[in-house]
Amino acid sequence: MVGFKATDIPPTTTVKFLGAGTAACIADLITFPLDTAKVRLQIQGESQGAVRVAASARYHGVLGTIMTMVRTEGPCSLYNGLVAGLQRQMSFASVRIGLYDSVKQFYTKGSESAGIGSRLLAGSTTGAMAVAVAQPTDVVKVRFQAQARAGGGRRYQSTVEAYKIIAREEGFRGLWKGTSPNIARNAIVNCAELVSYDLIKDALLKAHLMTDDLPCHFTSAFGAGFCTTVIASPVDVVKTRYMNSALGQYSSAGHCALTMLQKEGPRAFYKGFMPSFLRLGSWNVVMFVTYEQLKRALMAAHVSREAPI
């Protein structure tokens, strides 16, 4: 490795795995209030749920939701479920993002050029794998974000308590509630997010419009965030509603979607679209930019450690 720069050496799977989890946690720390606002807007209109938003709280738009939450529940409410969110990202993003390149190479049998089919297949695979690992953390995160302090207090006081209460009252299956829609959502999200980032970045580099540095990463990530929001919003709303539902409220994710359509109409599937876009757009920018820099920093540290003194 003597004579090579960190950018010349492909990052190892371990570097990608650790870098993806760390970058996702940093992105979550910055964008979590937008995610909480999105959840509140998505569950608004439900007649019941495992955790219900205060009856007096009506949310209008991203800023309105954030301001209402700060006024009625305090600023800390914007970070309800942060611990579970970070647990989720460290296990979830490490798999779905960190293993994407390795799985893509597996499907292309090591070929340097990957077609869109191989990329979509790799994105679907790592997205589904990640759900299998991190589903309980997602359930707890959504429950925390949905609960309001106003009117009757909080049902869950800590992350550990939330895991225990859900397991005790709803059984082990309660922690895996919504796995099917979440697998569907994350297969779609992963394809939209990683494949669009991959394709936009490749197009910019091949057309020599940008070099492989910060502006290219920023542009690719922003485009990926928009594509992901448009494609994944309906599944995301169903997933959130179903995960927050009371025991027996919906018989399946399909029943949840049908109930939404009948009671609230097609527009219900795009509830919280703006906070979803703001969150996914900003999350993608922070995550991908951080991820690219972390990969280079970790490889630079690896190279310097192996270099002869």
Side-chain angles (χ1 to χ4, degrees):
M1 291 186 180
V2 178
F4 287 93
K5 298 183 293 182
T7 52
D8 298 327
I9 304 165
T12 63
T13 302
T14 304
V15 164
K16 292 176 184 176
F17 190 84
L18 293 174
T22 305
C25 285
I26 292 169
D28 242 31
L29 280 169
I30 294 171
T31 63
F32 206 79
L34 291 171
D35 193 42
T36 303
K38 176 203 75 172
V39 168
R40 291 293 180 90
L41 284 167
Q42 285 177 339
I43 65 172
Q44 186 165 253
E46 277 190 304
S47 58
Q48 57 178 319
V51 178
R52 191 188 298 180
V53 178
S56 59
R58 296 296 300 172
Y59 303 121
H60 304 282
V62 187
L63 187 59
T65 301
I66 291 173
M67 294 298 290
T68 299
M69 288 180 65
V70 170
R71 186 177 66 252
T72 59
E73 303 170 53
C76 291
S77 64
L78 297 173
Y79 282 90
N80 276 349
L82 178 63
V83 174
L86 296 179
Q87 289 172 353
R88 174 182 180 268
Q89 290 299 352
M90 203 64 217
S91 54
F92 187 74
S94 297
V95 174
R96 78 178 184 90
I97 298 169
L99 298 183
Y100 170 73
D101 286 333
S102 300
V103 174
K104 183 172 68 176
Q105 287 175 1
F106 171 78
Y107 284 128
T108 57
K109 296 179 172 59
S111 172
E112 287 296 318
S113 58
I116 190 166
S118 300
R119 298 179 202 231
L120 289 171
L121 200 54
S124 300
T125 302
T126 57
M129 286 167 58
V131 173
V133 173
Q135 180 67 8
T137 62
D138 205 10
V139 172
V140 171
K141 179 184 81 77
V142 167
R143 295 285 182 90
F144 258 104
Q145 288 176 313
Q147 73 178 353
R149 277 200 184 95
R154 292 155 58 95
R155 186 179 184 193
Y156 308 121
Q157 301 301 321
S158 70
T159 306
V160 174
E161 184 187 38
Y163 285 116
K164 289 179 179 177
I165 290 174
I166 294 169
R168 185 174 65 246
E169 295 183 357
E170 302 174 43
F172 182 74
R173 292 178 63 183
L175 289 169
W176 297 90
K177 194 171 197 175
T179 299
S180 296
N182 215 10
I183 285 175
R185 175 195 179 266
N186 282 294
I188 293 167
V189 165
N190 228 35
C191 286
E193 194 173 78
L194 295 177
V195 175
S196 58
Y197 179 82
D198 225 2
L199 291 172
I200 293 169
K201 183 181 172 184
D202 277 0
L204 291 171
L205 294 176
K206 285 177 182 175
H208 303 290
L209 296 172
M210 292 182 177
T211 55
D212 191 4
D213 52 18
L214 192 61
C216 177
H217 304 156
F218 182 95
T219 305
S220 304
F222 188 81
F226 181 76
C227 292
T228 306
T229 310
V230 171
I231 294 168
S233 271
V235 186
D236 191 36
V237 174
V238 173
K239 181 213 78 166
T240 300
R241 288 282 185 97
Y242 188 58
M243 286 170 124
N244 187 55
S245 64
L247 190 62
Q249 184 178 353
Y250 303 119
S251 59
S252 66
H255 178 224
C256 177
L258 189 61
T259 302
M260 283 175 57
L261 184 63
Q262 290 173 338
K263 291 186 175 180
E264 302 172 59
R267 291 181 65 181
F269 292 97
Y270 279 92
K271 272 192 172 182
F273 179 84
M274 189 51 68
S276 285
F277 173 59
L278 289 175
R279 196 260 175 176
L280 272 174
S282 56
W283 191 93
N284 271 271
V285 168
V286 175
M287 196 285 297
F288 277 115
V289 168
T290 306
Y291 179 44
E292 297 278 10
Q293 299 309 309
L294 275 174
K295 283 193 295 185
R296 295 182 181 187
L298 289 169
M299 285 309 297
H302 179 67
V303 170
S304 64
R305 192 168 60 249
E306 290 197 350
I309 299 173

